[in-house]
Amino acid sequence: MLVLGLETSCDETGVALYDTGRGLVAQALHSQVDLHAVYGGVVPEIASRDHVRRLLPMVRQVLAEAGVARPDAIAYTAGPGLVGALLVAAGLANGLSLAWDCPVVAVHHMEGHLLAPLLEENAPAFPFLALLVSGGHSLLVDVRALGDYRILGSTLDDAVGEAFDKTAKLLGLGYPGGPALAALAESGDDAAFAFPRPMLHRPGFDFSFSGLKTAVMIEVRKLSADGRLAAVRADIAASFQRAAIDALIGRTLAAARHIGATRVVVAGGVGANECLRESLKAQFHGSVYYPRSTFCTDNGAMIALAGALRLDDATPAETIRATARWSLDSLAPPTAKAAND
Ligand code: KG4
Ligand code: ZN
């Protein structure tokens, strides 16, 4: 079965073709980062309009690259995300489904992230613990099987990617700041500033990043009033990154001990952070899996894969689904209700 995956939940347009026998066949990705950079964040209306411009030509391009006229099924991100942006893929998926007479699968964006490491050669087997870290989420998920998810911890305030982006903004780095902050941190001393490791000594597996963000903000204001900020920007970036990663790893190790996990999967945009990957590999006494960096951030391949694994949930085109808020642990394993019942 050949599954076309469409992703338009935020500011990346992603299209991919996944073959249930051969794996990933073709893919295309367009980032809107340049469009939103001048505003310092994603502008939903601009995001939707650009998805409208890009999506269909990218579908054509991917099909042409694969040398096929049409797929056997279409998977699209139905949420969570920006509703106007989600509607672009949801509308096109259902339209194409009618035109091609093939079924659709509505995919949960975070399930896409969670399954992304399965696109790699060294894929994890179930069960595993997933650390899902992106611009909108920080989650620790006990993944027992496909669709059998128990959320162990989430963030009480900002997502970790948001904390990276806001700290980057304070340091005068562009949007999105995560990768720029990580690059700046490479030349800094991560012990120069003693920022708090949020929640590390509290019970449970939840995260909190607003205290860390505020601590950095207070320090940055003080340094810029003294005219000393420019000299220590890299040290601030490195010390912030260390504190955020220590918090993520502390919770992840505790959760892994709690459920007896021998495998940890790291995914979502912040999962592209080399320092996080290396530190987790060094500290976890089991196997650590993650997708290649381009499959950590939003992409069509993870949606095509999730759709391929959920073909039992495929339906004929009917309701266009676009859900801003949708909890990952409300998902269930695929049910064989089939496209023609
Ligand atoms: O998964 P994603 O592409 O979109 C969401 O679903 O949110 O994640 C984007 C987030 C942004 O906050 C971005 O700054 C962060 O991932 N990010 C990083 C890195 N690459 C992307 N944060 C830290 N280090 C990185 N290398
Ligand atoms: Zn995402």
Side-chain angles (χ1 to χ4, degrees), residues 5-16 27-33 36 42 47 51 58 77 79-82 85-86 107-114 116 119 132-137 165 175-176 179 267-272 277 291-304:
L6 307 179
E7 156 66 38
T8 63
S9 67
C10 190
D11 60 347
E12 255 110 24
T13 316
V15 177
Q27 56 152 333
L29 187 65
H30 176 76
S31 170
Q32 302 177 356
V33 158
H36 301 289
V42 177
H51 288 311
M58 285 170 66
T77 304
L82 303 168
L86 288 166
V107 171
H108 190 292
H109 181 78
M110 298 310 288
E111 182 172 61
H113 276 306
L114 186 153
L119 288 161
L132 297 183
V133 277
S134 70
H137 296 87
D165 293 341
Y175 167 84
V270 183
R277 293 177 173 206
R292 71 196 83 163
S293 293
T294 47
F295 291 166
C296 272
T297 44
D298 294 347
N299 64 85
M302 67 184 193
I303 303 305

Side-chain angles (χ1 to χ4, degrees), residues 80-249:
L82 303 168
V83 170
L86 288 166
L87 280 169
V88 180
L92 185 65
N94 281 279
L96 290 176
S97 155
L98 281 175
W100 287 335
D101 191 24
C102 68
V104 284
V105 189
V107 171
H108 190 292
H109 181 78
M110 298 310 288
E111 182 172 61
H113 276 306
L114 186 153
L115 298 173
L118 302 184
L119 288 161
E120 305 300 345
E121 237 163 62
N122 177 29
F126 295 115
F128 54 76
L129 172 69
L131 172 66
L132 297 183
V133 277
S134 70
H137 296 87
S138 305
L139 295 174
L140 274 168
V141 190
D142 177 6
V143 177
R144 295 165 199 168
L146 180 70
D148 186 356
Y149 310 135
R150 188 164 57 108
I151 294 181
L152 301 171
S154 57
T155 182
L156 302 177
D157 37 61
D158 292 348
V160 62
E162 214 177 332
F164 266 87
D165 293 341
K166 288 178 179 171
T167 303
K169 206 169 187 175
L170 278 175
L171 295 175
L173 302 168
Y175 167 84
L181 189 141
L184 180 61
E186 273 176 34
S187 57
D189 172 6
D190 67 3
F193 295 89
F195 293 132
R197 268 61 175 161
M199 311 285 285
L200 215 50
H201 303 293
R202 298 252 203 104
F205 309 110
D206 286 333
F207 301 104
S208 163
F209 291 100
S210 72
L212 170 60
K213 182 188 68 186
T214 308
V216 177
M217 190 173 71
I218 292 169
E219 195 63 50
V220 165
R221 285 201 181 138
K222 209 164 66 190
L223 289 164
S224 67
D226 296 351
R228 288 187 294 136
L229 181 61
V232 294
R233 275 168 82 242
D235 293 344
I236 297 255
S239 302
F240 159 81
Q241 178 172 265
R242 187 75 264 153
I245 288 174
D246 282 354
L248 290 175
I249 291 181

